[in-house]
Amino acid sequence: MCFNISIITSKNIIEKQLETKFSADYYFEPKKHISAFTNPEIPVITSDNKTIIQSCYWGLVPEWIEDIQKANVIRKMTYNARCETLKEKPSFRDSIKNKKCLIIADGFYEWQSMPTGKICHFIRRPEETIFTFAGIWSDWLDKSTGEYLKSVSIITQSANEMMS
């Protein structure tokens, strides 16, 4: 599971490497550590607008969620979407059909359990360039306030031999 990412690469380099531009209303700030558990805004390219990097909240809120209390509960369970169950889980079923996205990062953190405790590993590409995680997104409207929320989940899979 992926709950912690890094994006310390500058806005200009990201735009150049991905051949796209940040949305004019997105104030992007590079950060060494971004935890999903804070429901942060992260840089994403969505299937509905592939030419713009936009800000989305990490923790998918499905369109059918009724109110902000339920939205805040479910988003804590949807930071990741397991590829094996994407089409089965009600939270992800609609998004996987036509709401795919790329979640931008330049590294991520994984913990290894050892007899003496956990060891944190920072994983990035050898050439230290950005990469993208596969993801899904959703639009949600808070009917009581009119607030619009665009949110995402990172699609995960079982660890390969190297990651294990």
Side-chain angles (χ1 to χ4, degrees), residues 56-130:
C56 292
Y57 287 93
W58 193 353
L60 189 130
V61 178
E63 292 178 13
W64 45 265
I65 293 295
E66 299 166 7
D67 58 49
I68 191 67
Q69 289 79 21
K70 291 177 182 170
N72 287 332
V73 169
I74 200 161
R75 70 191 317 182
K76 292 177 182 175
M77 298 180 282
T78 58
Y79 300 130
N80 294 168
R82 294 186 57 87
C83 70
E84 299 87 354
T85 57
L86 267 173
K87 294 180 180 177
E88 301 161 17
K89 300 277 183 176
S91 298
F92 306 129
R93 252 193 321 243
D94 292 336
S95 291
I96 192 58
K97 292 176 188 171
N98 59 9
K99 292 187 173 180
K100 297 171 181 77
C101 64
L102 299 173
I103 299 166
I104 302 166
D106 53 29
F108 62 100
Y109 299 85
E110 287 295 334
W111 280 259
Q112 180 181 17
S113 294
M114 303 295 280
T116 57
K118 289 187 174 184
I119 299 173
C120 180
H121 296 278
F122 180 62
I123 299 146
R124 66 181 316 160
R125 295 177 59 126
E127 61 276 6
E128 299 185 4
T129 58
I130 61 167

Side-chain angles (χ1 to χ4, degrees), residues 7 11 14-15 21-31 34 40-45 52-57 104:
I7 181 95
K11 181 178 177 177
I14 294 169
E15 289 177 332
K21 294 284 184 193
F22 276 84
S23 169
D25 62 349
Y26 181 14
Y27 174 73
F28 171 73
E29 184 180 345
K31 293 183 181 168
I34 302 168
E41 291 181 82
I42 55 177
V44 175
I45 299 172
I52 298 291
I53 299 170
Q54 51 192 296
S55 169
C56 292
Y57 287 93
I104 302 166

